[in-house]
Amino acid sequence: MHASPTALNKPILIFPAGMPRSLDYLERCKRDGQTVIGASSLAYDVSKPAYPEWAFLPYVNDPGFLEALQLLITQRGIASIYTPNPVVWSYLNEVLKNLQPAIPLINASPVHDEMSGYRSAMAHARKTLATPLPIASVVDTKPALPELQLATLFRHANVMPGMCDDEKISALYEIARHSVRGDVVEIGSAWGKSAFVLARLARLHDIGHTLCIDPWQSEYVVQNDTGGLVDNCIHHYDYDEALRVFEMNLLPYSANDINYLRLPSVAAEQQYRQAAAVYSPSFGTTNYAGSIALLHIDGNHAYEAAQADIAAWEKHVVAGGWIIIDDYVWPYGDGPQRAGDEFLAQQQQRISSAFVMGTALFLQLR
């Protein structure tokens, strides 16, 4: 929402004020300095203290609703209305044309808002299934997922915060269809979006268990990026909170096949090499094979860090396994690309397939 200074002084009515989307919109208004008034039909609404101004309105099917709304608009100088309730929205969309034609509903139909993410997921699934990647793989191709399963992957992933876009999800889906069995290991998991995608694909294609490696500590996040734009935003993140968000995102999908190590990459590799089981209070104990089918490297993007991640973990990747180097194309520096190109040059005899999709480099070993 981008409002002019004049519009900021004209209140937006949020009604019903206690719905989750109403409260989300309230926070956006507060950040933008927008004047808002909350309204409810409940005699006592627990959301009332969250609003700077408050009003009572009867239910929309009450005979006195329109008169009460008209009075509220006049007395408070309301300029627009936000409602995430589909019944209220549909009713106001009709009656405001005659009651107050100058007062718009500020949001589109809530039904459209609620369904847009699902519709987008179905569209991405259909597109991915219609245009499979022509991967020159050494592994037999597994059957395509049903459209609904793939749409579910897109939808659930895109509810989670993170930088894993739909193009990359499509690529991960495709290489999972050309994967041998083994562990799925991710270096750098943050909030868990790509970890969810990998874990879900690993289960659907019977690949193996997923292990996420991340220190979730600020001192390991310094990228030394060109211009310092990335490093300058480090202080905005709470890394203990990031781990909690990761756990909240992954726990509903875990069946003793997902876990994590809160360690720097090289230290985590030593533990992985020495023990087949990983324990965490949130996920319990997960047993791993000790050999990797899919290695996703998305940790610190400084050249030295990316090189160390590859050197530490690539030896565990089995024949036919995949190495994904994320942000191989990265506008803030060339660390992952330099490290990836060095690996390509040094290990070309081991590599059977290589391609870039989106910003990631995908490599399959012979």
Side-chain angles (χ1 to χ4, degrees), residues 244-255 258 281-284:
R244 290 194 297 273
V245 171
F246 167 89
E247 291 171 325
M248 292 169 68
N249 283 333
L250 273 294
L251 270 173
Y253 303 98
S254 177
I258 303 170
S282 302
F283 293 89

Side-chain angles (χ1 to χ4, degrees), residues 22 34 89 97 142 148 167 256 286 297 313-314 338:
S22 296
Q34 172 67 56
W89 189 95
K97 297 172 185 176
K142 298 174 184 178
L148 185 60
E167 186 176 25
N256 294 323
T286 306
I297 297 177
W313 289 93
E314 58 86 11
R338 288 170 59 196

Side-chain angles (χ1 to χ4, degrees), residues 142-211:
K142 298 174 184 178
L145 289 178
E147 183 180 287
L148 185 60
Q149 283 278 23
L150 188 53
T152 301
L153 180 75
F154 281 107
R155 178 57 184 148
H156 286 230
N158 285 326
V159 171
M160 302 175 188
M163 304 299 288
C164 185
D165 61 20
D166 289 330
E167 186 176 25
K168 184 176 177 183
I169 293 173
S170 294
L172 292 174
Y173 159 73
E174 293 284 8
I175 67 167
R177 295 178 59 215
H178 298 82
S179 176
V180 293
R181 284 189 54 80
D183 298 329
V184 176
V185 175
E186 177 173 75
I187 312 301
S189 293
W191 297 302
K193 181 174 181 176
S194 57
F196 159 73
V197 174
L198 290 165
R200 183 67 182 155
L201 289 170
R203 186 180 301 172
L204 290 170
H205 290 297
D206 193 28
I207 298 171
H209 294 173
T210 301
L211 177 62

Side-chain angles (χ1 to χ4, degrees), residues 40 42 120-121 165 172 210 222 243-244 249 264-265 329 333 349 360:
S40 175
L42 300 175
S120 176
D165 61 20
L172 292 174
T210 301
V222 177
L243 174 55
R244 290 194 297 273
N249 283 333
S265 171
V329 180
Q349 296 303 318

Side-chain angles (χ1 to χ4, degrees), residues 298-320:
D298 189 18
N300 191 309
H301 289 1
Y303 163 70
E304 294 78 9
Q307 185 186 49
D309 289 344
I310 296 171
W313 289 93
E314 58 86 11
K315 56 182 173 287
H316 297 293
V317 181
V318 298

